[in-house]
């Protein structure tokens, strides 16, 4: 971790109200602003993580289950490989993302997840997050789910949906990209103004399980080779 390194962490770590900026994890190191691995039940609340860089997880690299991220601002970070804002590793199942602002992050060279990348990390709940203005060198301008199923985008307050807007991907899935990921539910999501240089400006479910999109706004997205709104590809029994 470039600034905060919590490896083999004990359970229940709390990071609250920190200003973390201009940090870098050098070479192939991960977690430009925060590196947190091990333990469970951690909480990151009200932190500002900005202008940090790393190979993976330019802002935050997390590899611990049952972690809550609430009211954090992860802005203007970059990763060479994937997860410009946040990288969620394979041990990071069953977490919560609540009222976070994940904006203007980028993956500059390979792969994707300009805002967030979930690497074999499933069972997350998303409530009232703003994921906007992120860029990926390949797929998933806003979010990339890699073998990471059972995600649940929830609408608890009609005035505060999850917003995925104005993200860009140099290949597919300007807003969200699901790569061999299991069933997910998107309820009350606003997906607008995202762009993909190839396919699926808004949502790309790729080769994924049975997913449901309900009561959502999907508008003004662009896929320059086709399918501006939603692609289901080889997905099973999905419904809108």
């Amino acid at each position: 971790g470039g600034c905060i390194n919590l490896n083999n962490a004990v359970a229940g770590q709390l990071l609250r109200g920190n200003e973390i900026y201009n940090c870098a994890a050098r070479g192939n190191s991960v977690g430009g602003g925060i590196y947190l691995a091990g333990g469970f039940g951690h909480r990151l609340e009200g932190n500002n993580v900005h202008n940090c860089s790393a190979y993976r997880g330019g802002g935050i690299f997390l590899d611990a289950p049952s972690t809550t991220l609430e009211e954090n601002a992860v802005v203007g970070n970059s990763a060479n490989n994937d997860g410009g804002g946040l990288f969620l590793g394979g041990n990071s199942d069953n977490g919560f993302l609540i009222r976070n602002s994940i904006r203007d992050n980028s993956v500059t060279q390979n792969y994707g997840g300009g805002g967030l990348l979930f690497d074999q990390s499933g069972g997350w709940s998303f409530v009232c997050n703003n994921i906007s203005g992120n860029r990926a060198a390949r797929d998933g301008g806003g979010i990339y789910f890699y073998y990471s199923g059972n995600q649940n985008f929830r609408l608890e307050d009609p005035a505060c949906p999850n917003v995925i807007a104005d993200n860009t991907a140099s290949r597919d899935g300007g807003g969200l990209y699901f790569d061999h990921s299991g069933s997910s539910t998107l309820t009350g999501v606003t997906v607008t103004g995202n762009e993909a240089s190839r396919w699926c400006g808004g949502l790309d479910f790729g080769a994924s399980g049975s997913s449901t999109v309900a009561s959502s706004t999907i508008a003004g997205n662009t896929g320059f080779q086709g399918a501006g709104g939603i692609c289901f590809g080889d997905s099973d029994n999905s419904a809108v």
Side-chain angles (χ1 to χ4, degrees), residues 13 113 128 152:
Q13 296 293 315
C128 192
N152 184 13

PDB file of all heavy atoms in Angstrom, residues 13 113 128 152:
ATOM      1  N   GLN A  13     -11.171  -3.891  11.602  1.00  0.00           N
ATOM      2  CA  GLN A  13     -10.415  -2.650  11.447  1.00  0.00           C
ATOM      3  C   GLN A  13     -11.353  -1.504  11.038  1.00  0.00           C
ATOM      4  O   GLN A  13     -12.293  -1.694  10.268  1.00  0.00           O
ATOM      5  CB  GLN A  13      -9.335  -2.811  10.382  1.00  0.00           C
ATOM      6  CG  GLN A  13      -8.267  -3.834  10.724  1.00  0.00           C
ATOM      7  CD  GLN A  13      -7.406  -3.401  11.895  1.00  0.00           C
ATOM      8  OE1 GLN A  13      -6.972  -2.258  11.962  1.00  0.00           O
ATOM      9  NE2 GLN A  13      -7.178  -4.309  12.822  1.00  0.00           N
ATOM     10  N   GLY A 113     -12.149  -2.168 -15.444  1.00  0.00           N
ATOM     11  CA  GLY A 113     -12.624  -1.702 -14.159  1.00  0.00           C
ATOM     12  C   GLY A 113     -12.071  -0.336 -13.823  1.00  0.00           C
ATOM     13  O   GLY A 113     -11.348  -0.178 -12.838  1.00  0.00           O
ATOM     14  N   CYS A 128     -27.013   3.325  -3.252  1.00  0.00           N
ATOM     15  CA  CYS A 128     -26.859   4.778  -3.338  1.00  0.00           C
ATOM     16  C   CYS A 128     -25.430   5.228  -3.618  1.00  0.00           C
ATOM     17  O   CYS A 128     -24.924   6.167  -3.021  1.00  0.00           O
ATOM     18  CB  CYS A 128     -27.381   5.420  -2.044  1.00  0.00           C
ATOM     19  SG  CYS A 128     -27.593   7.202  -2.092  1.00  0.00           S
ATOM     20  N   ASN A 152     -25.895  -7.492  -5.830  1.00  0.00           N
ATOM     21  CA  ASN A 152     -27.234  -6.981  -5.587  1.00  0.00           C
ATOM     22  C   ASN A 152     -27.216  -5.458  -5.516  1.00  0.00           C
ATOM     23  O   ASN A 152     -26.761  -4.889  -4.515  1.00  0.00           O
ATOM     24  CB  ASN A 152     -27.792  -7.562  -4.288  1.00  0.00           C
ATOM     25  CG  ASN A 152     -29.234  -7.153  -4.024  1.00  0.00           C
ATOM     26  OD1 ASN A 152     -29.915  -6.625  -4.909  1.00  0.00           O
ATOM     27  ND2 ASN A 152     -29.695  -7.394  -2.818  1.00  0.00           N
TER      28      ASN A 152
END
